[in-house]
Structure formats: C-alpha cells, structure tokens
Amino acid sequence: MNRKRALISDAFKVKRFRNETQKFGAVSKGDGPTDIRSTLETLMTLFPRKLFNDSLPQIVMKHQLYSIHNDKTLVDKELNKLREQGELLMFQLGFDADAFGLVFASDYKAKVLAGEDGRATRATVEKFLEKLPSLCTELSFSKDKMLKEFRFTDSEITQLVKSGVLTVRDAGSWWLSIPNSGKFTKYFIQGRKAVLNMVKKSKYSEVLKTELEERRTTSHVKFQMKYHIHDIVGAELVESIPTTSGTLLRFVDS
C-alpha cells in the first residue's frame, strides 16, 4: 500500500461523527485569557513584516484563533476584553462580512505615526490617535459621533480619510482602517485561493498538514504557509481531521 493510500486508510480510521472533526492544535482545556492573548501574540509572529517594508502593523484575522481554540465564544469574549482595555483594535477588512483583522493598538499607533512623517495630515492623525482607548471598541463611526463626541471638523475628517485611518462605509459613516493595507488584503486573498487549490488538487482533495507546510509554493503565496493554514482551518474552508499519521486537511465543497 503506497503512502497516499495509507493516508486515506488512516483517515477512515477516524470515527465519522461530526463533532469529532477537530481543528489542528485545538485547545479544549485551560482555554483562559492568557492562552488567548498568547495565541494572538504567536500568530502575530507569522505576519511577514518585511514583505511590507515594515510599514504595516502585524495583522491576525480573528478566525485564525478559531483554528487553535475550539471555544469561539470564549475567544470573542477575551478579544472584547482586550479591546475594552484599549490594547487591541479590530478592523472590518472589506473582502468578506466575517473578515475581521486584529492589531495591537500600540503597534497600530507606531506604524501610523511613522507613515505620517512630514505629511500635512499628521497633526489631525495625532489628535485621532489620542482617542485610541475609545476607538478600540469601535469598528466604524457615524458623522454625529465624529463631530459631537470626538469633536472633529468636516475638514479634519477629510484629512483622516486621506491619511487612511478612516475609509468611507456609506454616506455619513466611516470604517476604522489600517493605512496602506490594500496590498495585505490582496496577498491574503490570492494566497488563500492558492493554498486551497493545493488541498483541492491533492488526491481525494485531502493532505496532511505537515505535508502542506513543506510544499513548494507559487508566486501567489507571499505569506508563510502556516499563516494561510490557520486561515483556511479557522474559516472552516477545510476540515481538520486527526489521524494516526497526523492532522489531515480535507477540502470542504461549498
């Protein structure tokens, strides 16, 4: 029996109960606040700073944490605590309604200010960043809130949009955003598609996680393979199945 046939045989040794499909590295016990923050910090290290000339803060997608922690409710609860404490920012990245990026507030502030060096918008951006503790719990802002609560003028709001810390959501409201993150979104999406295609084109549309991590990638995959695997598992675009040969990733037909 060749290796791939043995792999499939191993897969069928797994009981086919839906609740037994697990995420690789999934944590079921001791899933406390420290673990969530620690996981977030570990995932941040997979972010390719050099690819963006160190101009972007480290970005982790919220669902990537679900690839490690089974309890989504707990993950969301602990992330909200970090946001309420002014330590973490969350962004709606636009390419999917459920695509939320996470960035540490201190990293965001440092990168935004570095990008504002010598720009006419810097003073307004600094004023905006002084309100970071209040910003951490928000995804978007209404014109009423910007004018009355944060006391920005129409002209200053225009400057914030120009600088990239705000993007237009609709008439009279704006998303909190990461300046110059368009390239990140582009690379993220094309990398996801390429890695999913690798799984889909494997025999029986499944592959061992360790095997996928070692695969040679095309020019479409700019990030570390582990970053993309945490994405496709957390977003439930593949099933993660424990076998005697290791974790098996199976393409999910949507």
Side-chain angles (χ1 to χ4, degrees), residues 124-253:
T124 305
V125 170
E126 283 181 339
K127 178 181 171 183
F128 183 73
L129 292 176
E130 284 170 7
K131 303 179 187 299
L132 263 186
S134 302
L135 303 176
C136 284
T137 56
E138 306 288 344
L139 282 171
S140 64
F141 310 94
S142 66
K143 186 169 185 176
D144 194 56
K145 187 161 194 168
M146 290 296 292
L147 294 175
K148 294 180 181 178
E149 187 178 330
F150 291 159
R151 299 187 179 280
F152 284 100
T153 64
D154 283 323
S155 172
E156 286 175 325
I157 293 171
T158 300
Q159 289 183 53
L160 293 174
V161 172
K162 185 179 179 181
S163 72
V165 295
L166 293 180
T167 55
V168 176
R169 179 178 183 178
D170 51 39
S173 72
W174 299 268
W175 293 111
L176 179 65
S177 66
I178 306 168
N180 306 310
S181 59
K183 189 178 284 188
F184 163 79
T185 302
K186 177 187 173 183
Y187 289 163
F188 181 83
I189 293 170
Q190 74 180 27
R192 171 190 276 189
K193 288 179 179 175
V195 173
L196 273 177
N197 208 34
M198 288 181 196
V199 179
K200 190 176 181 180
K201 287 189 173 181
S202 298
K203 196 170 184 180
Y204 304 107
S205 294
E206 54 192 17
V207 63
L208 285 172
K209 180 180 77 74
T210 50
E211 231 175 79
L212 186 60
E213 286 175 351
E214 293 166 5
R215 288 262 182 101
R216 290 187 65 181
T217 58
T218 66
S219 60
H220 293 294
V221 181
K222 306 286 188 185
F223 302 163
Q224 290 187 50
M225 183 62 85
K226 285 184 178 180
Y227 192 90
H228 284 300
I229 292 175
H230 282 295
D231 164 45
I232 62 176
V233 173
E236 298 181 352
L237 300 172
V238 296
E239 283 183 293
S240 183
I241 303 165
T243 76
T244 54
S245 299
T247 301
L248 186 73
L249 303 179
R250 175 178 295 146
F251 182 76
V252 173
D253 243 335

Side-chain angles (χ1 to χ4, degrees), residues 27-44:
V27 179
S28 56
K29 294 182 180 179
D31 221 10
T34 307
D35 295 315
I36 302 297
R37 187 189 179 96
S38 174
T39 299
L40 188 57
E41 290 171 344
T42 300
L43 288 171
M44 291 280 186

Side-chain angles (χ1 to χ4, degrees), residues 78-126:
E78 294 306 325
L79 291 178
N80 285 337
K81 280 184 186 176
L82 289 172
R83 293 172 68 199
E84 287 164 7
Q85 291 162 7
E87 295 182 54
L88 191 69
L89 291 160
M90 189 158 79
F91 303 85
Q92 219 297 337
L93 294 181
F95 63 88
D96 188 311
D98 296 320
F100 297 103
L102 302 169
V103 171
F104 282 118
S106 57
D107 197 15
Y108 179 78
K109 185 175 182 178
K111 296 304 178 190
V112 169
L113 286 176
E116 284 294 309
D117 277 348
R119 297 185 65 182
T121 52
R122 184 179 175 99
T124 305
V125 170
E126 283 181 339

Side-chain angles (χ1 to χ4, degrees), residues 59-81:
I59 305 168
V60 164
M61 303 302 290
K62 184 172 79 164
H63 65 262
Q64 287 178 309
L65 278 82
Y66 301 157
S67 71
I68 297 171
H69 295 276
N70 280 327
D71 192 338
K72 292 182 182 181
T73 303
L74 179 68
V75 171
D76 292 352
K77 181 181 175 183
E78 294 306 325
L79 291 178
N80 285 337
K81 280 184 186 176

